[in-house]
Amino acid sequence: MVETKNKTIELWDGYEVEVNEQLFNDADFLFDLDEARQEGSFRDIVAMMFAVVGGEDVYEAAREHIIKQCGCFSIDELTKITDKIGSCFPKAGNRASRRQNWTRK
């Protein structure tokens, strides 16, 4: 197995995390994420997004940062962070293109 270096992203000023890109190739993770989206479980979707960047520890750090900055756990600030994490996910079109290539072989 070839080891690849994961990229890092900055969730807020000075706080960088490593993106676990291996999860983007994990069918179980993607199935669970799809199920959470279909069920509309915001809490599960957020938890799965944070799983990509370090899980519960990073979530708690983000929560503390937002509360310190805003005085409450602001959904607006949480959305800014989850948008950054979401930008790391593969685009749907890329997966569709790969599926078409698989069926042509």
Side-chain angles (χ1 to χ4, degrees), residues 92-105:
N94 292 342
R95 289 206 181 278
S97 297
R98 280 188 261 156
R99 277 195 301 273
Q100 287 177 347
N101 289 337
W102 292 340
T103 58
R104 290 182 189 154
K105 290 182 180 181

Side-chain angles (χ1 to χ4, degrees), residues 51-73:
V52 171
V53 294
E56 186 70 23
D57 291 341
V58 176
Y59 172 81
E60 287 300 326
R63 189 176 194 283
E64 289 175 21
H65 168 75
I66 292 169
I67 291 171
K68 185 177 179 180
Q69 180 180 344
C70 301
C72 69
F73 191 30

Side-chain angles (χ1 to χ4, degrees), residues 14-103:
Y15 190 87
E16 288 190 357
V17 293
E18 188 172 288
V19 177
N20 181 354
E21 294 177 318
Q22 184 176 350
L23 287 176
F24 302 142
N25 193 37
D26 183 327
D28 288 329
F29 176 80
L30 296 174
F31 292 154
D32 290 345
L33 180 60
D34 184 54
E35 184 177 311
R37 286 181 177 158
Q38 287 181 17
E39 292 175 358
S41 175
F42 183 69
R43 181 181 300 272
D44 288 346
I45 292 168
V46 169
M48 295 190 77
M49 293 182 83
F50 274 93
V52 171
V53 294
E56 186 70 23
D57 291 341
V58 176
Y59 172 81
E60 287 300 326
R63 189 176 194 283
E64 289 175 21
H65 168 75
I66 292 169
I67 291 171
K68 185 177 179 180
Q69 180 180 344
C70 301
C72 69
F73 191 30
S74 166
I75 192 66
D76 292 335
E77 293 303 312
L78 178 61
T79 299
K80 289 177 186 176
I81 292 171
T82 56
D83 284 349
K84 290 178 183 180
I85 298 169
S87 70
C88 297
F89 280 71
K91 304 298 178 231
N94 292 342
R95 289 206 181 278
S97 297
R98 280 188 261 156
R99 277 195 301 273
Q100 287 177 347
N101 289 337
W102 292 340
T103 58

